[in-house]
Amino acid sequence: MSVDRPRPLVAGNWKMNGVKSSAKVLTEIHAGYTPGLKAKVELAVCPPATLVSLLSYASVGSRVAIGAQDCHAKESGAFTGDLSAEMLADAGATYVIVGHSERRQYHKERDVEVCAKAVAAHRAGLTAIVCVGETREERESGKTLSVVRKQLRGSIPVDSNSRNLVVAYEPVWAIGTGLTPTVADVAEVHALIRDELRRLVGKADAPKVRILYGGSVKPSNAAELMAVENVNGALVGGASLVAADFLAIAGAYLG
Ligand code: PGA
């Protein structure tokens, strides 16, 4: 492994799933996060915001990081129902996902808002997991690379570096569908992201930024996807709700 190659990250995005009793999933993840696995891959779990505090306490000493799924751009104020990055950090989060396609689709978030949220994450000391990815129509009309490039340029703040930024490539048509791009297609988009990162965070730091693949990652396809050049881990939705599946995906790094 070259010195520049980042430590992989497998992050679970629980989406709007989970109640207090779901802490048992985290307990099972802790139990399966063996020293051998710890040596190879970092794990993070991003539960609904209601569980960030509980799971952060449950995770103390385990080295499984806890993340949130969204944040507001402002630190505080009259924004009923919203949560600031500072609040999430205070609750124990160290990561926050921003610009997930479900936020872009259902909450009409544009690159400019995603970028402001990533700035907020950095201000609060969180690592932003910035999501990008094309829709099926965009892929079918040959626009994948231009769409992803535009999202990267619009969504990644200038203060980003390999410690406070993770990029997740999640083709919208692959999320929750069981469909995945070919290995060649994943390699092509991840190469473009690496190239853009050279412009965005500089040539020296760009190789150290983790670029995750997300969209229907499961135990049966994880090894193949994680072996692709410039894939430094996974953002896992559905399969992250079952500890054994999440651990099996991370286990792709055991070789
Ligand atoms: P999925 O979701 O693994 O269920 O396809 C991935 C995501 O939305 O992050």
Side-chain angles (χ1 to χ4, degrees):
M1 192 186 277
S2 95
V3 282
D4 272 348
R5 199 121 180 239
R7 176 169 158 80
L9 168 68
V10 173
N13 172 11
W14 284 10
K15 309 193 179 187
M16 199 171 73
N17 297 289
V19 290
K20 277 188 285 185
S21 62
S22 313
K24 74 172 187 308
V25 176
L26 185 68
T27 308
E28 289 163 15
I29 293 170
H30 289 161
Y33 196 28
T34 57
L37 198 53
K38 269 184 199 163
K40 299 275 187 189
V41 58
E42 180 182 348
L43 297 185
V45 169
C46 303
T50 47
L51 296 179
V52 166
S53 182
L54 179 74
L55 297 200
S56 296
Y57 277 111
S59 238
V60 169
S62 76
R63 291 170 64 197
V64 175
I66 302 299
Q69 301 172 11
D70 179 45
C71 67
H72 195 276
K74 294 265 169 53
E75 187 172 348
S76 61
F79 302 103
T80 302
D82 282 317
L83 295 170
S84 72
E86 282 77 3
M87 291 169 175
L88 298 167
D90 183 58
T94 53
Y95 285 96
V96 61
I97 299 168
V98 293
H100 189 279
S101 68
E102 286 149 18
R103 301 291 314 175
R104 292 178 185 264
Q105 184 184 351
Y106 302 130
H107 298 268
K108 305 282 173 277
E109 291 184 12
R110 298 162 303 158
D111 291 336
V112 61
E113 281 105 22
V114 175
C115 188
K117 289 175 179 217
V119 168
H122 296 166
R123 184 187 65 218
L126 301 177
T127 296
I129 302 177
V130 177
C131 301
V132 295
E134 81 287 359
T135 62
R136 192 209 320 244
E137 296 69 41
E138 288 162 345
R139 174 154 291 271
E140 283 170 358
S141 55
K143 293 191 189 128
T144 298
L145 297 183
S146 60
V147 165
V148 170
R149 186 184 294 114
K150 183 165 172 290
Q151 289 177 331
L152 291 167
R153 292 184 182 177
S155 308
I156 294 180
V158 289
D159 68 349
S160 299
N161 58 52
S162 59
R163 289 169 306 288
N164 67 17
L165 174 73
V166 171
V167 178
Y169 168 55
E170 299 204 304
V172 179
W173 52 272
I175 295 175
T177 58
L179 304 171
T180 51
T182 64
V183 160
D185 287 340
V186 173
E188 183 182 40
V189 178
H190 279 241
L192 167 99
I193 295 171
R194 186 73 68 201
D195 204 46
E196 280 298 312
L197 284 170
R198 286 187 197 105
R199 298 162 38 101
L200 294 164
V201 307
K203 282 202 177 65
D205 209 23
K208 301 180 196 151
V209 178
R210 272 90 59 93
I211 309 175
L212 313 184
Y213 169 77
S216 295
V217 179
K218 43 191 184 233
S220 59
N221 62 19
E224 184 182 43
L225 289 162
M226 298 306 103
V228 176
E229 176 103 38
N230 287 309
V231 173
N232 314 115
L235 183 55
V236 186
S240 73
L241 298 169
V242 177
D245 288 350
F246 186 60
L247 288 163
I249 289 167
Y253 283 101
L254 290 172

